[in-house]
Amino acid sequence: MIELIKRLIFAYRYRKAVRRAVKFRKLTGRRYFVIMLSGKPVAVSKKAVRRLIATHRFRPGTKMQDIENRALFITN
């Protein structure tokens, strides 16, 4: 039962992040990723991801390509 609740919460957060990514893409024209940050799916622009890599938010050696491959959703 607890697993079901966790899945429902994740599904809600994922859908919310995807909607935000699509909305921001239309507004700004930037490419957005839905990635896991601190255990939650978050919509982040490609520029912001590069900044997160530069500030060592990810493991050393992580490249932009690695994040693109692991992203849950990518806008066009």
Side-chain angles (χ1 to χ4, degrees):
M1 185 67 185
I2 293 174
E3 241 351 93
L4 174 66
I5 293 171
K6 286 182 180 181
R7 282 192 209 171
L8 290 173
I9 291 170
F10 176 80
Y12 171 76
R13 288 179 177 164
Y14 173 76
R15 283 193 311 264
K16 184 178 174 183
V18 169
R19 276 188 249 128
R20 289 180 64 131
V22 171
K23 178 184 170 185
F24 292 153
R25 167 70 178 172
K26 288 179 183 176
L27 286 174
T28 64
R30 290 185 180 163
R31 175 175 253 189
Y32 279 81
F33 302 108
V34 174
I35 58 175
M36 296 295 287
L37 284 177
S38 302
K40 297 177 184 178
V42 181
V44 185
S45 70
K46 189 170 185 175
K47 185 176 182 179
V49 170
R50 286 189 183 133
R51 190 175 19 222
L52 289 172
I53 291 171
T55 59
H56 308 290
R57 182 68 167 83
F58 298 101
R59 288 183 179 170
T62 302
K63 305 241 185 307
M64 190 69 212
Q65 187 66 35
D66 300 331
I67 298 198
E68 285 184 22
N69 291 339
R70 288 189 318 182
L72 303 173
F73 178 79
I74 302 172
T75 59
N76 292 334

